[in-house]
Amino acid sequence: MHKKNLLAAMLLAVVALSPTLGRTASLINCKTRACYERLVDDYLAALVAHDASRIAFAADARFVENIKATKIGDGLWKSASALPTSFKIYVPDPISGQVGFMGVMQEAGKPILLGLRLQVFEGHVIQAEHVIARDLNAESLANLQTARPIFAKVTPASMRMPRYAIKGIAYSYYDALDFNDGELAPMGRDCERHENGRQSSGSRAPVTAKTPQPNYSAMDCTRQFSTGMMGYIDNIDNIRVLAVDPVTGLAFGLSHFHHSMKNHLFPIRGVPGVTQREVNNQPFDLPAAHIFKISDGKIHQIEAMGFLAPYNSPSGW
């Protein structure tokens, strides 16, 4: 074979083996919050178009979807069917070169809740991470029509917290949850948490005959954690608060909950007439994403999502 033809064949082989080479996507030159938000929109549009070549991935970019190392172009890249509409929360962080996102989109015509993280370095996406919650029920979807307005509310410049302080408070949330002590994290009395859309703390829903008792979901986050009602959580690892936005007071965190379920009865504190809680689940993990709204030194709102995985699953990283 002629040398020129041989070199051309070798180059084509390399490009075929590495789907991130030879692409024409523009380099990512993000220095502003708005640019990182546009990057998320561009990424989601590329997902729905099933065309990873629209995004400037690094040749050695890593992609993890639901804690599984995945080839770029597989997973949601093949099954995404419609863009997010009204439920969207962005956490742009030009300092770290990362952006977190949570939104409702469609996969194969069905709604899913997506937690997304992208990391950019030298003009390319070097890491992409998806956390996908499927099988959303009617109760969840009712709370996933529009993001709570407070998540987009801009904090006045004079009241903005330093980035490191927001990040530290977000990390403290996992301690409060892991050690069943709400006092380990500064959380406001108005702290309200949603999990896959379902309101799980700070609920003001009317009490009916069907409301479980004790009504843990009506408690604020501090009191709820301190009861020990989440004692079935053995530990939380792979905790990463990677995107922080002082302009809105948002922090985006990822984590991995482990539940061995070796015990099924857990002591309850501070609830009159209740001394224990019974949880009869089988062993499981819960990889999760959280977005925290933090202002005045306290956590006020939490949007959380995750999915069930086999107990002690690897993280994918």
Side-chain angles (χ1 to χ4, degrees):
M1 181 182 292
H2 192 277
K3 286 186 177 182
K4 287 185 178 181
N5 293 336
L6 178 61
L7 288 173
M10 291 173 64
L11 179 59
L12 287 173
V14 170
V15 171
L17 289 172
S18 179
T20 58
L21 293 178
R23 290 179 172 167
T24 58
S26 299
L27 292 181
I28 302 163
N29 185 27
C30 280
K31 301 184 184 301
T32 65
R33 298 172 61 255
C35 182
Y36 278 94
E37 291 181 359
R38 287 195 300 272
L39 172 61
V40 168
D41 291 341
D42 291 344
Y43 183 92
L44 295 171
L47 274 179
V48 173
H50 309 152
D51 185 1
S53 69
R54 294 187 181 188
I55 302 299
F57 284 104
D60 58 350
R62 299 186 67 188
F63 170 42
V64 171
E65 181 170 288
N66 278 11
I67 64 170
K68 181 180 179 181
T70 305
K71 179 182 175 182
I72 296 170
D74 287 346
L76 195 58
W77 283 99
K78 290 184 175 179
S79 55
S81 58
L83 290 169
T85 54
S86 54
F87 189 92
K88 296 184 285 187
I89 307 173
Y90 300 83
V91 188
D93 186 351
I95 300 299
S96 70
Q98 301 194 64
V99 58
F101 171 83
M102 200 175 290
V104 176
M105 60 185 299
Q106 289 192 14
E107 177 187 39
K110 296 181 179 180
I112 59 170
L113 180 57
L114 170 68
L116 168 68
R117 178 183 69 88
L118 301 174
Q119 182 176 6
V120 177
F121 181 70
E122 293 188 347
H124 297 85
V125 171
I126 61 171
Q127 290 187 359
E129 188 164 0
H130 296 173
V131 180
I132 303 171
R134 300 179 170 94
D135 301 320
L136 302 171
N137 60 30
E139 179 187 2
S140 295
L141 289 171
N143 286 329
L144 292 172
Q145 299 303 306
T146 305
R148 286 171 276 170
I150 193 169
F151 284 103
K153 185 177 180 180
V154 171
T155 304
S158 62
M159 299 174 64
R160 289 175 192 168
M161 297 174 58
R163 184 178 178 278
Y164 70 86
I166 296 172
K167 190 172 187 177
I169 288 173
Y171 269 112
S172 73
Y173 169 88
Y174 297 100
D175 287 337
L177 190 54
D178 201 0
F179 294 102
N180 298 291
D181 185 352
E183 299 296 337
L184 293 178
M187 296 182 282
R189 290 296 300 274
D190 62 343
C191 178
E192 179 180 322
R193 185 179 72 255
H194 291 188
E195 298 175 346
N196 286 357
R198 183 181 64 86
Q199 192 165 346
S200 57
S201 185
S203 173
R204 293 177 292 276
V207 175
T208 70
K210 295 182 179 181
T211 302
Q213 296 298 327
N215 189 6
Y216 295 110
S217 66
M219 298 177 184
D220 64 76
C221 300
T222 301
R223 184 188 174 204
Q224 185 192 70
F225 288 6
S226 295
T227 66
M229 59 88 67
M230 295 189 186
Y232 60 91
I233 300 171
D234 282 349
N235 68 291
I236 310 170
D237 61 17
N238 198 30
I239 299 171
R240 297 163 291 146
V241 180
L242 297 172
V244 176
D245 180 19
V247 175
T248 54
L250 298 186
F252 180 87
L254 294 155
S255 57
H256 195 128
F257 292 65
H258 299 279
H259 317 78
S260 68
M261 302 311 302
K262 292 179 180 178
N263 299 313
H264 295 279
L265 290 175
F266 304 92
I268 293 296
R269 305 180 299 271
V271 181
V274 180
T275 60
Q276 62 184 16
R277 183 185 186 204
E278 185 173 0
V279 181
N280 287 315
N281 292 338
Q282 295 297 309
F284 70 102
D285 280 2
L286 182 77
H290 287 72
I291 294 180
F292 306 96
K293 177 71 176 188
I294 300 171
S295 61
D296 302 320
K298 294 182 179 181
I299 299 171
H300 293 279
Q301 302 285 328
I302 304 162
E303 195 71 53
M305 56 85 62
F307 66 97
L308 299 181
Y311 179 59
N312 270 346
S313 294
S315 71
W317 291 103

